[in-house]
């Protein structure tokens, strides 16, 4: 029996994105490092943010000293001190919400390749509709010098060749009509030789297929094409960056159209839920506050005239007593 983790980003402005991981192992590391079992690409997540560890017949969660802390069901746990977790618990780490499903049957656990694919998916959602996600080829040598081809978001396939209908058409007799194919998915961009006459070259080395890396320079016929993948470049830079103290502002539930209030029945009016990942201590009570207790009115201070009157009375009484004593 293993554990399934449902991860969702709670960052403001990010496109809705979620990922599911499955493990049947005794230790699961969650963090910003690419070596993590659950790779969360955001500077608010520590490189090793927290660890799930088998303890007895269940799991314990330990915050690994992260800057922004780890919350279980809304309560921040003490760093470096294991905390028992239960099925259905919700962990919040650096702006990501993780729902735990413990004791589930696992046929095939999440691999490191799939972890990288899911991390790209989460990161792409964080920088959606930005040039930071647009991969491209640019001709830096050859007859099409300066030409640039943007690659679509995954999933997609593109043809490179002499055929004018190819997505990347190279007018070059040394290029086959269907020279190579690019497959785009959340793992990245895969380049495959389709049985071309002159092949694909990376420097002095010919290859049949390759997962492209940012900065690769591929020779096809007389053209030298430079591959740019800002997404991978951003993720690598993010992994090496220092932790950032931050609070996400997005709500975890998918945005829905708000219903107009029913004026005839004000009880049906929906209130906006509290934004996720904003920890403000204990939740405010829904019960009305009791009215303040009335404070007793202070006693009026005695006036100066009353004090003089009392003092004169005392002197008069003492004088009478002394006179009676003398007459005896």
């Amino acid at each position: 029996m293993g554990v399934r983790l449902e991860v969702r980003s709670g960052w403001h402005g990010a496109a809705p994105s979620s990922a599911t991981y499955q493990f049947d192992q005794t230790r699961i590391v969650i963090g910003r490092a690419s070596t993590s079992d659950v790779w969360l690409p955001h500077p608010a997540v520590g490189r090793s943010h927290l660890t799930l560890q088998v303890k007895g017949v269940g799991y314990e969660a330990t915050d690994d000293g992260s800057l922004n802390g780890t919350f279980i069901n809304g309560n921040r746990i003490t760093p470096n001190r294991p905390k028992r977790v239960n099925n259905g618990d919700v962990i919040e780490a650096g702006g990501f919400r993780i729902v735990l499903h413990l004791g589930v049957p696992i046929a095939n656990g999440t691999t490191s390749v799939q972890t990288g694919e899911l991390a790209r998916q989460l990161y792409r959602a964080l920088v959606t509709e930005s040039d930071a996600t647009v991969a491209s080829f640019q001709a830096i040598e050859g007859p099409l010098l300066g030409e640039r081809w943007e690659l679509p978001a995954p999933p997609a396939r593109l043809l490179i060749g002499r055929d004018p209908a190819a997505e990347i058409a190279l007018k070059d007799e040394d290029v086959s009509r269907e020279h190579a194919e690019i497959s785009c998915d959340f793992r990245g961009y895969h380049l495959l030789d389709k049985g071309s006459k002159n092949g694909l070259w990376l420097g002095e080395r010919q290859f049949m297929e390759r997962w492209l890396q940012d900065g690769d320079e591929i020779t096809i016929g007389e053209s030298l094409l430079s591959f740019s993948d800002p997404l991978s470049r951003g993720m690598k830079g993010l992994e090496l960056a220092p932790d950032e103290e931050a609070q996400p502002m997005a709500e975890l539930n998918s945005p829905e159209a708000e219903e107009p209030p029913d004026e005839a029945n004000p009880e049906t009016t929906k209130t906006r839920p509290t934004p996720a990942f904003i920890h403000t201590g204990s939740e405010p009570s829904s019960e009305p506050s009791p009215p303040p207790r009335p404070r007793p009115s202070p006693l009026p201070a005695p006036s100066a005239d009353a004090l003089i009157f009392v003092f004169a009375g005392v002197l008069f009484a003492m004088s009478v007593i002394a006179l009676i004593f003398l007459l005896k």
Side-chain angles (χ1 to χ4, degrees):
M1 305 299 281
V3 56
R4 183 170 70 247
L5 308 177
E6 295 179 359
V7 179
R8 186 169 183 181
S9 171
W11 283 94
H12 177 70
S17 181
S18 60
T20 300
Y21 302 77
Q22 298 187 121
F23 302 102
D24 188 8
Q25 58 195 56
T26 59
R27 186 170 181 266
I28 301 168
V29 177
I30 301 173
R32 195 176 74 242
S34 59
T35 53
S36 303
D37 299 300
V38 178
W39 181 6
L40 302 180
H42 197 282
V45 179
R47 286 180 54 80
S48 177
H49 196 103
L50 75 140
T51 302
L52 293 175
Q53 184 88 30
V54 169
K55 182 69 173 182
V57 294
Y59 277 85
E60 290 181 337
T62 303
D63 180 274
D64 298 331
S66 66
L67 176 63
N68 291 299
T70 299
F71 297 80
I72 299 178
N73 299 328
N75 300 311
R76 186 166 186 165
I77 64 175
T78 304
N80 302 310
R81 182 179 298 176
K83 174 72 173 178
R84 187 79 173 184
V85 291
N86 301 303
N87 186 49
D89 279 353
V90 177
I91 296 177
E92 297 169 20
F96 291 86
R97 180 179 187 262
I98 306 169
V99 180
L100 302 182
H101 299 278
L102 305 179
V104 297
I106 302 297
N108 298 299
T110 302
T111 66
S112 59
V113 172
Q114 291 170 329
T115 294
E117 177 181 347
L118 293 170
R120 286 180 65 93
Q121 178 179 331
L122 290 170
Y123 185 70
R124 183 181 292 275
L126 290 170
V127 291
T128 186
E129 298 181 358
S130 166
D131 289 341
T133 64
V134 180
S136 65
F137 268 116
Q138 183 165 0
I140 57 176
E141 289 183 12
L144 296 177
L145 177 65
E147 191 79 17
R148 183 174 180 269
W149 298 268
E150 291 187 355
L151 306 184
R157 291 181 181 272
L158 295 89
L159 179 65
I160 301 177
R162 198 176 69 250
D163 188 340
E167 285 78 11
I168 299 180
L170 303 176
K171 298 178 181 179
D172 183 347
E173 291 301 322
D174 292 332
V175 176
S176 301
R177 288 184 61 83
E178 295 186 357
H179 198 104
E181 182 182 71
I182 302 174
S183 300
C184 314
D185 62 29
F186 285 109
R187 289 172 293 177
Y189 298 86
H190 183 262
L191 182 61
L192 174 68
D193 191 312
K194 291 179 65 68
S196 65
K197 179 176 63 175
N198 293 309
L200 300 170
W201 296 81
L202 179 67
E204 300 296 323
R205 182 173 65 85
Q206 187 175 5
F207 64 91
M208 288 298 299
E209 59 180 316
R210 174 180 174 82
W211 283 100
L212 294 170
Q213 305 294 318
D214 180 60
D216 278 355
E217 295 183 353
I218 308 299
T219 300
I220 302 178
E222 294 184 0
S223 296
L224 181 62
L225 305 182
S226 176
F227 175 70
S228 174
D229 185 4
L231 196 70
S232 293
R233 187 164 60 247
M235 292 179 68
K236 286 181 180 179
L238 185 64
E239 184 178 4
L240 301 176
D243 297 351
E244 290 184 7
E245 186 174 1
Q247 286 186 323
M249 297 294 292
E251 295 171 10
L252 289 175
N253 295 327
S254 299
E256 298 176 354
E258 295 186 359
E259 298 180 7
D262 186 352
E263 296 180 358
N265 185 10
E267 293 183 357
T268 63
T269 302
K270 293 186 177 181
T271 58
R272 186 174 179 83
T274 303
F277 306 123
I278 301 284
H279 296 280
T280 57
S282 60
E283 296 182 358
S285 173
S286 59
E287 298 182 358
S289 301
R293 298 176 61 183
R295 300 178 64 181
S297 301
L299 296 175
S303 64
D305 292 338
L307 290 175
I308 293 173
F309 179 81
V310 172
F311 184 73
V314 171
L315 289 177
F316 178 78
M318 292 178 65
S319 300
V320 171
I321 293 172
L323 179 61
I324 293 172
F325 181 78
L326 292 175
L327 293 176
K328 285 183 175 182

